[in-house]
Amino acid sequence: MNVPLLNSKEAAEALGVCEKTLRECRLLGLRYVQVTRGAIRYRRDDLESYIEERTVEACRSNRRTANTTTTTSRSGVVDFMDRAERKTSKKPKRLNRRPE
């Protein structure tokens, strides 16, 4: 059996991710071959099937919704633009003068 195996660097390049992300993909179900205790290799077919499994079809909804800047919560309607503006507005500085 002569199946070409990719090392971590080659597999990461094939997926277009870094090696750390490749390790995280293994936790999410990416199949791999453990050749020895520390040597992990990947089959190209396994990489391709992982991509297929994780491919998401675009949601095509005919319903159009208006873009608003408010949302409802238990306490009523919250205007996030107003809250953000109040949060970023500068408050006047207090002068700490000592009485003479």
Side-chain angles (χ1 to χ4, degrees), residues 9-23:
K9 184 177 180 181
E10 294 167 337
E13 287 176 5
L15 289 177
V17 297
C18 67
E19 290 183 54
K20 181 180 177 183
T21 303
L22 183 68
R23 285 191 299 272

Side-chain angles (χ1 to χ4, degrees), residues 60-79:
R60 299 186 185 225
S61 175
N62 292 333
R63 186 177 64 175
R64 295 184 185 246
T65 58
N67 292 333
T68 62
T69 58
T70 59
T71 187
T72 57
S73 68
R74 290 183 205 162
S75 62
V77 176
V78 177
D79 186 353

Side-chain angles (χ1 to χ4, degrees), residues 69-91:
T69 58
T70 59
T71 187
T72 57
S73 68
R74 290 183 205 162
S75 62
V77 176
V78 177
D79 186 353
F80 288 106
M81 297 300 285
D82 181 52
R83 291 196 67 182
E85 188 175 306
R86 281 190 280 153
K87 189 174 185 179
T88 58
S89 66
K90 298 197 179 211
K91 296 179 183 176

Side-chain angles (χ1 to χ4, degrees), residues 2 6-7 13-14 26 53 70-71 74 79 94 97:
N2 191 9
L6 305 174
N7 63 26
E13 287 176 5
R26 282 200 319 255
E53 290 170 7
T70 59
T71 187
R74 290 183 205 162
D79 186 353
R94 292 176 59 182
R97 294 189 180 188

